[in-house]
Amino acid sequence: MSKKWYPVTDILSCIECGTCVNFCSHGVYDKSKYPTPIVVNTDGCIDRCHDCGNECPVGAITYVGDDTEWIPPVFREKGGMPDVSPNYGCGCCCGSKR
């Protein structure tokens, strides 16, 4: 868990689909505010996990403390870049395989 790593949602880009809220299994988002992604538990976020950002269909999620050069998949695809990034997930059973 990390106090210097957690997701930040760009409210202008977010379409409030609820994907990130549903996907995170670490209690980072307030599920009672679904589908709006309200971060309430920054300590629950796993350091270097990008799973919710990998699932965001519009690339509205970035991370405080991110120094990994991670790019949301939606931007890699739009830029014609092949998805050759390593798995930036938390490694739990629910993790993305991007």
Side-chain angles (χ1 to χ4, degrees):
M1 310 301 172
S2 176
K3 292 185 181 189
K4 295 181 180 179
W5 178 271
Y6 53 90
V8 176
T9 304
D10 177 354
I11 60 169
L12 297 177
S13 299
C14 179
I15 59 172
E16 294 191 3
C17 65
T19 300
C20 56
V21 177
N22 279 334
F23 194 79
C24 179
S25 62
H26 302 286
V28 173
Y29 296 97
D30 184 347
K31 294 206 182 239
S32 73
K33 303 291 185 193
Y34 177 87
T36 305
I38 306 294
V39 174
V40 293
N41 181 18
T42 59
D43 290 343
C45 195
I46 307 298
D47 192 34
R48 306 281 189 261
C49 178
H50 292 90
D51 279 345
C52 62
N54 285 334
E55 297 300 316
C56 180
V58 295
I61 298 173
T62 57
Y63 298 87
V64 168
D66 194 351
D67 60 358
T68 65
E69 298 182 21
W70 170 81
I71 299 170
V74 67
F75 294 139
R76 289 193 301 262
E77 293 161 8
K78 285 182 181 176
M81 299 168 63
D83 189 0
V84 295
S85 63
N87 180 3
Y88 283 116
C90 67
C92 75
C93 64
C94 306
S96 168
K97 297 299 179 197
R98 294 200 192 271

